[in-house]
Amino acid sequence: MATTTLRSVKSLVPLLDRVLVQRVKAEAKTASGIFLPESSVKELNEAKVLAVGPGGIDREGKRLPMGVSAGDRVLIPQYGGSPVKVGEEEYHLFRDSEILAKIKE
């Protein structure tokens, strides 16, 4: 895992077709109010897009549009991406093509 000395995730700007996301944390409490131990709480495949790069470049040198934008809720693969830790928070960088789906409200 890459540990950085960044003070804020806002200073992390993805390049090309990279997408910076933060996984949505699963609820540690059930609907009836029972707190679950940390070991039983699974990571969700849902994430919030924090920042996107400008897009990749095709063979003709034209910029390809990104499929997601900052603020989108997306479905990400269970494994993969590049983890980045800023302070106590963990983020992931994925390529735009690795994002599985956009979640509409």
Side-chain angles (χ1 to χ4, degrees):
M1 172 157 332
T3 304
T4 63
T5 56
L6 298 173
R7 291 195 179 128
S8 168
V9 73
K10 289 184 170 109
S11 57
L12 193 59
V13 179
L15 300 176
L16 296 174
D17 64 341
R18 302 294 195 300
V19 179
L20 178 68
V21 301
Q22 184 175 29
R23 281 187 193 271
V24 173
K25 291 179 176 60
E27 288 294 323
K29 188 167 78 167
T30 65
S32 60
I34 298 170
F35 284 94
L36 301 170
E38 204 169 293
S39 60
S40 70
V41 177
K42 286 187 165 188
E43 278 194 336
L44 296 176
N45 287 7
E46 185 181 325
K48 182 175 180 185
V49 176
L50 302 177
V52 296
I57 298 175
D58 68 9
R59 292 183 181 195
E60 287 83 41
K62 294 179 186 161
R63 183 120 3 228
L64 298 169
M66 295 293 282
V68 297
S69 56
D72 285 348
R73 287 178 40 224
V74 294
L75 196 62
I76 57 174
Q78 184 70 35
Y79 302 102
S82 300
V84 179
K85 196 161 185 166
V86 179
E88 293 298 311
E89 294 292 325
E90 189 173 313
Y91 304 92
H92 287 83
L93 280 164
F94 285 95
R95 289 189 176 275
D96 187 44
S97 61
E98 294 175 327
I99 304 292
L100 302 175
K102 195 185 309 189
I103 301 171
K104 294 192 174 190
E105 298 294 322

